[in-house]
Amino acid sequence: MVRNYIKIAFRNLWKHKSFSAINIAGLAAGLTACFFILSYVRFELSYDNFHSKADRIVRLRDDVITPTETIPNGISVYPAGPAITADFPEVESMVRVSQQEMIFIQGDRKFRETNILLSDSTFFRIFDFKLVEGHAGSVLAAPGSVVITEAMAAKYFGEAPAMGKTIQIPQDDRTLSLTVTGIMAPMPENSQLRGDAVVSLSTAREAYAGFLDNWTNHAPYTYLLLKPGTDYKALEAKFPAFLEKHIGKTMDDFQMHYTYHITPIKDIYLSWGALRYAGITGSIGNVRIFTI
């Protein structure tokens, strides 16, 4: 019976060649489009899910409120992360990350690198970016440390080993020396953080006095690693008193104040598109439309 049905179907297809070709081509095009859309939606929803601690990582942001406007930011100030970690036992660790442009010089090679990350020593302990060489707990521990990608290692050092070699950075009237302490694999495309190199943030402290202690210097992305079982919304509710303690009077002098908010890392990409300095973001509207 089934064999007869198949024969009849093929005879009808062959009898109506043009009609059959149009329908088969339309079906193929529709299925192809659906597969592409599914791939896009899955990729957009996968941002930052690859971190093993993603369920405990949140990002701090602040709104700056002035007499005339409210400025929602995707960044924060440098002292906030360490102060929150010290004041709240719910926070296990923190890491600050800022994106920079730097000129790297190594021998006769000189390039303007536009995708450099400046970060705390906890960077590779909190995030699961793969190190090919070096240890996650120590690669950014000392001032003047830099972790570079395999591609950057080949760019500056060719086939020679890059570990322990130095890269120079001209800074105004001085030159900073960075030592290669680690080699990393390329950062995944579905990551908000993408860089060709990660420089230890303590390098900036040595180069610029007071750089990391300024409560008005909005620059880094600040991520908090919460202890297991912590309710991030309950932690956020404690921030008004924290801000009053640390910067209340200072902000009164500027006739402005802050409000602090935290968002789980897996929610940031699709929910922060309207914020200033939010970094790499997508559109939850597009995801919903294509899903439908």
Side-chain angles (χ1 to χ4, degrees):
M1 182 71 72
V2 174
R3 183 180 296 178
N4 288 334
Y5 286 150
I6 293 174
K7 286 182 179 179
I8 293 170
F10 272 102
R11 287 171 181 170
N12 285 329
L13 288 174
W14 188 253
K15 183 177 180 180
H16 306 285
K17 298 184 184 66
S18 298
F19 182 77
S20 299
I22 292 172
N23 278 277
I24 292 171
L27 178 62
L31 288 173
T32 301
C34 285
F35 283 126
F36 277 123
I37 290 171
L38 176 62
S39 177
Y40 165 79
V41 170
R42 289 186 63 185
F43 180 77
E44 292 293 283
L45 294 175
S46 73
Y47 261 76
D48 298 301
N49 287 347
F50 60 89
H51 298 298
S52 61
K53 302 181 183 75
D55 291 337
R56 296 195 287 132
I57 300 173
V58 299
R59 185 163 139 191
L60 178 71
R61 71 173 185 87
D62 60 44
D63 290 350
V64 180
I65 302 175
T66 72
T68 59
E69 63 178 337
T70 297
I71 306 170
N73 288 312
I75 53 178
S76 58
V77 296
Y78 277 108
I84 289 173
T85 306
D87 284 12
F88 299 107
E90 302 98 315
V91 180
E92 181 177 313
S93 185
M94 70 89 206
V95 61
R96 295 162 294 179
V97 186
S98 64
Q99 193 159 13
Q100 307 285 331
E101 286 190 12
M102 298 181 182
I103 295 176
F104 277 12
I105 302 173
Q106 205 289 320
D108 59 353
R109 296 176 176 86
K110 178 178 180 181
F111 298 96
R112 178 178 293 277
E113 302 291 353
T114 60
N115 201 17
I116 306 300
L117 302 181
L118 195 63
S119 185
D120 288 291
S121 61
T122 50
F123 184 84
F124 288 100
R125 293 201 297 265
I126 291 178
F127 300 121
D128 290 348
F129 296 117
K130 183 181 178 181
L131 282 171
V132 178
E133 296 184 60
H135 301 285
S138 60
V139 287
L140 297 175
S145 301
V146 62
V147 178
I148 60 179
T149 60
E150 294 171 293
M152 182 173 280
K155 177 179 176 179
Y156 284 94
F157 303 103
E159 297 182 359
M163 290 289 285
K165 300 290 180 60
T166 59
I167 294 174
Q168 308 301 317
I169 303 178
Q171 291 286 324
D172 300 327
D173 59 345
R174 74 181 89 179
T175 299
L176 301 179
S177 182
L178 300 178
T179 300
V180 178
T181 54
I183 308 295
M184 62 181 177
M187 293 182 175
E189 288 295 318
N190 59 341
S191 170
Q192 297 169 57
L193 295 173
R194 297 181 206 158
D196 299 317
V198 185
V199 177
S200 59
L201 187 58
S202 55
T203 305
R205 181 179 292 281
E206 288 205 343
Y208 304 102
F211 180 74
L212 302 182
D213 303 317
N214 188 338
W215 281 90
T216 62
N217 183 10
H218 288 74
Y221 304 130
T222 300
Y223 296 87
L224 308 175
L225 177 63
L226 306 182
K227 290 182 179 178
T230 298
D231 181 353
Y232 77 90
K233 292 184 179 178
L235 174 61
E236 185 179 87
K238 300 178 182 180
F239 285 158
F242 166 84
L243 289 168
E244 182 63 28
K245 170 186 173 182
H246 287 278
I247 59 174
K249 294 181 180 179
T250 302
M251 290 298 98
D252 288 343
D253 294 339
F254 289 97
Q255 294 187 328
M256 65 175 64
H257 65 278
Y258 299 153
T259 59
Y260 277 12
H261 308 276
I262 48 180
T263 304
I265 188 173
K266 292 191 289 187
D267 296 341
I268 294 170
Y269 176 73
L270 292 176
S271 66
W272 278 23
L275 300 182
R276 295 199 322 166
Y277 313 119
I280 299 172
T281 58
S283 170
I284 186 62
N286 286 345
V287 170
R288 288 169 178 162
I289 289 170
F290 281 116
T291 300
I292 293 170

